[in-house]
């Protein structure tokens, strides 16, 4: 986990105080699987492996990267489930996992551990299944949440509209899924999503009428 020469940087690698704090290997034509051994880079704050041909699962071991602030693995061929152990990424503010082949259910544990998360993009992972976790109401610092173009199903969690949840959320995209059922009244209460600017629900199986809401939000139950 040490860098030769103390504080330095070279192509794709940034070191501070003799430790690796940044890896940017995006668009390098990389293939193969993600290395579990990167969990040994305990000072790592930024990791970008976007726009490659990486495959295989997301390593559960990366859940120990407690200093990681930014993670970008979008536009690869990654498969497997979303590790519940990633709830240990307590410093993570940005996670871009979109445009892969991830599958399985959204881990409820993330809502109990990723309290610093501001932006999460899981869009266009067509094999993600199961419900939207009620426990994600604990992601109170989210400003952007993109879970469109997946296979998530079930009803919209009434808990997400709790006045104490998602106080910072501005962009919520849930279109092109298989969500169903009636629109929860809690989502349209006066104190729900106080900063919301953009909401997409089209191309689901939702039913019911929309209440009067602010014109600043795009609401389409499709």
């Amino acid at each position: 986990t040490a860098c030769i020469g103390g504080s330095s940087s070279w192509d794709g690698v940034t070191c501070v105080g003799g430790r690796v704090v940044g890896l940017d290997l995006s668009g390098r034509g990389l293939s193969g699987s993600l290395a579990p051994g990167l969990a040994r880079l305990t000072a790592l704050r930024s990791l970008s492996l976007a726009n490659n041909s990486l495959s295989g699962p997301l390593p559960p071991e990366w859940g120990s990267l407690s200093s990681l602030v930014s993670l970008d693995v979008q536009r690869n061929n990654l498969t497997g489930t979303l590790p519940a152990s990633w709830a240990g990424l307590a410093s993570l503010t940005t996670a871009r996992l979109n445009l892969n082949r991830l599958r399985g259910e959204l881990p409820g544990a993330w809502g109990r551990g990723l309290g610093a998360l501001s932006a999460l993009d899981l869009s266009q992972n067509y094999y993600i299944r199961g419900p939207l976790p009620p426990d994600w109401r604990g992601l109170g610092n989210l400003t952007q949440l993109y879970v469109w173009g997946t296979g998530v199903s079930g009803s919209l969690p009434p808990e997400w509209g709790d006045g104490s949840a998602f106080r910072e959320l501005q962009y919520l995209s849930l279109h092109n899924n298989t969500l169903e059922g009636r629109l929860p009244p809690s989502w349209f209460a006066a104190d729900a999503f106080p900063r919301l600017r953009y909401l997409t629900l089209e191309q689901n199986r939702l039913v019911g009428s929309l209440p009067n809401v602010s014109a600043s939000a795009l609401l389409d139950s499709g």
Side-chain angles (χ1 to χ4, degrees):
T1 61
C3 298
I4 297 173
S7 298
S8 60
S9 67
W10 56 92
D11 191 21
V13 182
T14 301
C15 294
V16 174
R19 306 183 75 185
V20 177
V21 298
L23 286 176
D24 185 353
L25 302 176
S26 55
R28 304 296 183 94
L30 300 178
S31 59
S33 59
L34 299 176
L38 286 179
R40 294 193 295 269
L41 301 177
T42 55
L44 193 64
R45 291 177 54 83
S46 177
L47 175 59
S48 179
L49 300 169
N51 300 303
N52 284 298
S53 298
L54 295 165
S55 58
L58 302 174
E61 295 85 351
W62 287 12
S64 66
L65 292 170
S66 58
S67 297
L68 193 66
V69 173
S70 175
L71 173 65
D72 189 349
V73 293
Q74 65 179 309
R75 295 181 182 275
N76 280 288
N77 297 309
L78 299 171
T79 57
T81 60
L82 301 170
S85 64
W86 282 22
L89 300 174
S91 300
L92 194 67
T93 63
T94 303
R96 306 199 183 283
L97 309 173
N98 50 302
L99 287 161
N100 280 289
R101 299 178 182 177
L102 300 172
R103 62 180 62 245
E105 295 192 1
L106 304 175
W110 286 17
R112 301 186 292 273
L114 301 181
L117 197 61
S118 175
L120 174 59
D121 193 345
L122 293 166
S123 60
Q124 294 180 276
N125 281 289
Y126 299 106
Y127 304 108
I128 287 178
R129 295 288 187 267
L132 297 171
D135 283 350
W136 278 23
R137 68 181 298 279
L139 301 176
N141 284 308
L142 271 182
T143 62
Q144 303 171 42
L145 177 58
Y146 305 107
V147 192
W148 62 270
T150 73
V152 295
S153 58
S155 58
L156 299 174
E159 296 87 348
W160 285 23
D162 185 321
S164 64
F166 294 124
R167 304 299 295 175
E168 304 299 323
L169 193 63
Q170 298 180 36
Y171 298 90
L172 176 57
S173 294
L174 298 172
H175 60 280
N176 194 19
N177 290 303
T178 53
L179 296 166
E180 58 188 0
R182 303 193 71 84
L183 300 172
S186 61
W187 279 45
F188 305 101
D191 59 347
F193 310 113
R195 297 181 181 273
L196 193 65
R197 299 174 56 191
Y198 186 86
L199 170 64
T200 61
L201 297 172
E202 70 268 21
Q203 297 180 23
N204 281 291
R205 301 169 185 170
L206 299 168
V207 297
S209 58
L210 291 170
N212 292 326
V213 294
S214 169
S216 64
L218 172 62
L219 301 171
D220 186 350
S221 62

